Amino acid sequence: MSEDNQGILWEVFLQPKPGRPFKHVGSLHAYDKKMAMTAARDLYTRRGEGKGIWLVRAEDIVSSELEDGEAFYDPSNDKIYRHPTFYNLPDGVKHI
Amino acid sequence: MEDQKKLAEFQEKIDADIKIEPRDWMPEKYRQNLIRQISQHAHSEIIGMQPEKNWLTRAPSIRAKKILMAKIQDEAGHGLYLYCAAETLGVKREQVLNLLHEGKAKYSSVFNYPTISWADMGAIGWLVDGAAIVNQVSLQGTSYGPYSRAMVKICMEESFHQRQGYEIVVTLAKGTPEQKQMAQDALNRWWWPSVMMFGPHDAESAHSNQSLKWKIKRESNDELRQRFIDKTIHQGEILGLTFPDPDLKWNESTGHYDYGEIDWDEFWNVVKGNGPGNKQRLKHHIEAHENGKWVREAAIAYADKLNSKTKTA
């Protein structure tokens, strides 16, 4: 008999209210999409935490590398003109 | 040495209260310590369903039955959040379950005591969940991100558990003399096991120092135990119930309750597997797991069939 199989690992994202972004809330094991969806409902929305659920296979998630974190984000560090506070405005100007 | 440098950086992060995430570097002992603690915590949630299911079919009203069912369902959920947190450390669900079934992994000893009356459902919610909440609130600040996040979610859900238990005790304590006696009897039997849930005294605790240094645990066993005792005594006294500890006394100078000697022989005896329910709890879990095997196999076969269909389409 092969090793006991507990299914695929899925990551669960919930949308707390319509129009809001989906947020990661945890993970679960299930063998197929439908079962994963039912389990996600039972596990993560017992108290109205969300009305929208996204499920992603954990193995399909692409993640940034931690080791080269600094260098990876470097291109944006010297572009302070991307922030509104960079700009000089005359005193008293409104609605801008 | 590379490892020494990494270890120093790791400790700096811990000291600065920066959470450790699954793919961050961590000492092997930190990883193993967490796997042990989180899986033990998960097993406790799952095994903890058994003493409660004992009263599910005999709950005194539909209201009580629905509440108990919801609580047991929450415990299952808590177990699953915690198993998932343990898995982020590189251990597989199957391994963790095998260790439990082989008797190599522990769960909270308190669940080895029998639930012999309906009042025990009250005492478990009030005292056992009450003690668990004190521990879990503290663990929200644990240094490992996934464990901390699971704790936050669990604490939000647990508060109803303690209130539902206390409500059962209140109802009995305000009932007939016989009902009040039921509540008192449950308190007598569950008080010391609940006090023991925090584990050995700090001086005798095997994993405590390292765990505190790495902020796996944020407060010591004795600190947490004292907090639980301090907040619980009033909740019993207001109902006219007494605690089975003649040495229990408010200490004006410390601002805490003094309490009597804990029977550590009993504690270790139950930890080592000789409590009233150890064998039955484990046997039941193994049977439930084995009886569910055909469901897992059917689900795998169904998933395979779905996959082959999408490939040919």
Side-chain angles (χ1 to χ4, degrees), chain B residues 158-175:
Chain B
E158 281 279 351
S159 53
F160 116 70
H161 296 189
Q162 197 190 10
R163 285 190 177 199
Q164 69 84 30
Y166 189 62
E167 192 194 70
I168 293 171
V169 177
V170 171
T171 308
L172 290 168
K174 290 183 172 168

Side-chain angles (χ1 to χ4, degrees), chain B residues 249-295:
Chain B
K249 206 172 75 218
W250 177 251
N251 184 327
E252 202 68 55
S253 62
T254 59
H256 295 291
Y257 278 92
D258 293 334
Y259 55 93
E261 192 66 31
I262 294 170
D263 183 352
W264 293 113
D265 289 342
E266 175 180 334
F267 175 78
W268 289 116
N269 193 40
V270 182
V271 170
K272 284 175 185 144
N274 304 318
N278 297 57
K279 289 187 180 65
Q280 191 196 343
R281 298 284 185 248
L282 202 55
K283 181 170 169 274
H284 184 83
H285 192 276
I286 293 170
E287 274 174 11
H289 188 68
E290 283 171 0
N291 291 341
K293 196 167 148 193
W294 71 269
V295 180

Side-chain angles (χ1 to χ4, degrees), chain B residues 71-114:
Chain B
K71 180 176 188 291
I72 294 172
Q73 196 182 17
D74 272 356
E75 309 296 4
H78 298 173
L80 293 179
Y81 307 152
L82 287 161
Y83 282 132
C84 284
E87 283 170 85
T88 63
L89 292 156
V91 67
K92 287 176 79 180
R93 179 81 56 98
E94 295 87 330
Q95 287 173 278
V96 172
L97 286 176
N98 283 341
L99 286 174
L100 175 68
H101 291 167
E102 289 162 9
K104 290 177 187 157
K106 303 270 183 240
Y107 54 87
S108 183
S109 275
V110 78
F111 300 118
N112 290 315
Y113 291 89

Side-chain angles (χ1 to χ4, degrees), chain B residues 186-298:
Chain B
L187 172 55
N188 292 347
R189 283 180 292 105
W190 289 95
W191 176 248
W192 285 111
S194 304
V195 168
M196 291 181 203
M197 278 174 70
F198 297 94
H201 282 310
D202 296 347
E204 276 95 47
S205 180
H207 306 282
S208 268
N209 282 342
Q210 190 62 68
S211 284
L212 286 170
K213 190 179 167 223
W214 279 337
K215 295 186 181 172
I216 291 175
K217 284 165 69 170
R218 301 306 304 262
E219 289 163 289
S220 77
N221 294 354
D222 284 329
E223 284 171 319
L224 294 166
R225 181 172 10 247
Q226 188 68 56
R227 184 171 308 143
F228 166 68
I229 292 173
D230 287 349
K231 68 181 221 171
T232 306
I233 303 305
H234 149 82
Q235 296 163 1
E237 285 177 345
I238 205 174
L239 301 175
L241 300 174
T242 55
F243 289 82
D245 177 0
D247 297 322
L248 195 66
K249 206 172 75 218
W250 177 251
N251 184 327
E252 202 68 55
S253 62
T254 59
H256 295 291
Y257 278 92
D258 293 334
Y259 55 93
E261 192 66 31
I262 294 170
D263 183 352
W264 293 113
D265 289 342
E266 175 180 334
F267 175 78
W268 289 116
N269 193 40
V270 182
V271 170
K272 284 175 185 144
N274 304 318
N278 297 57
K279 289 187 180 65
Q280 191 196 343
R281 298 284 185 248
L282 202 55
K283 181 170 169 274
H284 184 83
H285 192 276
I286 293 170
E287 274 174 11
H289 188 68
E290 283 171 0
N291 291 341
K293 196 167 148 193
W294 71 269
V295 180
R296 292 189 292 278
E297 286 171 357

Side-chain angles (χ1 to χ4, degrees), chain A residues 1 3-6 9 25 27-29 31-32 35 42-44 46-47 49 63-67, chain B residues 23-24 73-74 77 80-81 84 87 92-94 97 153 157 160 289 296-297 299-300 302-303:
Chain A
M1 186 62 221
E3 196 183 330
D4 193 17
N5 183 331
Q6 296 278 323
L9 184 65
V25 291
S27 44
L28 57 84
H29 284 257
Y31 299 95
D32 62 65
M35 186 182 185
D42 291 346
L43 254 180
Y44 291 102
R46 284 199 301 280
R47 289 173 177 81
E49 292 90 336
S63 163
S64 57
E65 291 298 326
L66 293 154
E67 283 73 18
Chain B
R23 295 174 347 123
D24 293 352
Q73 196 182 17
D74 272 356
L80 293 179
Y81 307 152
C84 284
E87 283 170 85
K92 287 176 79 180
R93 179 81 56 98
E94 295 87 330
L97 286 176
K153 192 160 167 52
E157 301 188 354
F160 116 70
H289 188 68
R296 292 189 292 278
E297 286 171 357
I300 293 166
Y302 181 68

